[in-house]
Amino acid sequence: MLMLLLLQVTGSQSMMNPAGPATRRISTLGWIVFLTFLIITFIMWIIIFWIGIRRRGTLDKHDSLESEGGQNWILAGGLLVPLAVLTVLFILNLDVLSTFPMRGKDPPPAIVVVGHQWWWEVRYVSGPVDTHFTTADEIHIPINHMVDIELLSADVIHSFWVPRLHGKEDLIPGQPNMIRIRADRPGVYRGQCAEFCGAQHAHMGLLVIAQEPAAYNAWLAHERQPASEPTTPDAKEGEQVFLSGACALCHAVRGTPAGGDVAPDLTHIASRKSLGADTLVNDTANLEAWITHAQSLKPGVAMPDLTEFNGTQLRDLVAYLQQLH
């Protein structure tokens, strides 16, 4: 039990290991609730132990069944104490909630996150329209800056949760929500959909990558650029495979005729750490497997198995995708 608690406190997805001001307040409240629970439990066990060992007379002499008593214990233990504890915790909870942004009182969002079954569409919408771009499953932010994110859903209810940076916020169809996150130090913070949304709910992860401002600005400038031109013969052939096949019907690659908008934008897919919403590491073997047998790796996902490619076409297609940095 103690080991499980330590893993929760120090783990990469634990709110008890905060990396931002929002989670720091939530973590403090969590510790207060946890310690209050332990104290009350300890007191209850003392009372139960005392009741179990106290002298209660003999079978020859005992109180009448009609004798009264114990009402004060019921009033105090069953009403007054729980009411006082829950009232204090409720007030503390309201105080934490009051520090979070509310819709309509804050500046326009810098990022829009759209939940899909089962991946995250990430749109960077700050600045002039011609500088906006879309990526997937990874959110880059500068450290020590508040970042406003608008949350939308394309299908069912999802929940955006990066435990070390903020609490949960639901993505509800037709109801935009807002969340404000900040990271105090560089790092990769894993998040997860926290609302059951279908068969692959458990494989709907995301990464928040917090960077120094200079590194973030460099990443931002690079992401705004169109896809790089293929330079090797394999990659050039792979581009033709991509554009002439089913890939371009669903995916977009900026700077090419591929303009699909029902699946993740692949303009800079090679720079991402994972595939399938943090289901697989982004490497050659997993990319080949995902293209040809996505349904085996993530059953029910919208990505079909593409088994029509021969070995050479698959190799060229992977070569093309891996040069899309």
Side-chain angles (χ1 to χ4, degrees), residues 101 103 107-114 122-123 139-141 146-152 160 162 169 177-181 206 208:
R103 181 78 177 176
I111 301 171
V112 176
V113 172
V114 184
V122 184
R123 306 172 187 165
I139 302 173
H140 287 244
I141 62 172
M146 292 293 187
V147 179
D148 289 311
I149 301 176
E150 183 175 36
L151 302 174
L152 307 173
F160 181 94
V162 185
E169 190 71 41
N177 273 341
M178 295 288 294
I179 194 169
R180 177 175 292 161
I181 63 174
L206 74 153
V208 175

Side-chain angles (χ1 to χ4, degrees), residues 50-51 53-58:
W50 173 69
I51 292 174
I53 65 172
R54 73 186 180 95
R55 185 179 181 86
R56 289 178 287 180
T58 67

Side-chain angles (χ1 to χ4, degrees), residues 95-280:
D95 180 60
V96 172
L97 287 175
S98 68
T99 64
F100 298 151
M102 300 299 291
R103 181 78 177 176
K105 299 181 180 179
D106 299 282
I111 301 171
V112 176
V113 172
V114 184
H116 298 260
Q117 290 179 306
W118 293 273
W119 60 282
W120 305 90
E121 179 183 356
V122 184
R123 306 172 187 165
Y124 284 76
V125 295
S126 61
V129 174
D130 60 354
T131 64
H132 296 183
F133 65 89
T134 301
T135 181
D137 300 327
E138 291 184 5
I139 302 173
H140 287 244
I141 62 172
I143 63 169
N144 297 322
H145 282 73
M146 292 293 187
V147 179
D148 289 311
I149 301 176
E150 183 175 36
L151 302 174
L152 307 173
S153 174
D155 35 55
V156 300
I157 296 177
H158 302 281
S159 188
F160 181 94
W161 189 30
V162 185
R164 295 187 63 193
L165 298 181
H166 211 293
K168 302 173 185 177
E169 190 71 41
D170 284 347
L171 291 73
I172 302 172
Q175 176 60 55
N177 273 341
M178 295 288 294
I179 194 169
R180 177 175 292 161
I181 63 174
R182 168 178 164 167
D184 293 337
R185 54 187 180 272
V188 179
Y189 304 101
R190 192 178 189 278
Q192 178 71 40
C193 177
E195 181 77 25
F196 180 74
C197 55
Q200 290 300 322
H201 161 70
H203 292 148
M204 190 174 171
L206 74 153
L207 301 176
V208 175
I209 301 172
Q211 300 171 286
E212 295 285 353
Y216 170 75
N217 289 331
W219 175 86
L220 200 64
H222 176 73
E223 287 291 314
R224 285 171 172 162
Q225 301 301 313
S228 57
E229 292 288 338
T231 56
T232 65
D234 288 349
K236 291 179 180 178
E237 290 295 328
E239 182 181 36
Q240 296 307 310
V241 173
F242 182 90
L243 294 176
S244 62
C247 307
L249 299 177
C250 297
H251 296 277
V253 175
R254 283 178 282 120
T256 76
D261 60 359
V262 297
D265 186 298
L266 302 182
T267 303
H268 298 291
I269 183 176
S271 64
R272 298 175 197 163
K273 297 180 179 296
S274 67
L275 302 170
D278 204 36
T279 301
L280 302 167

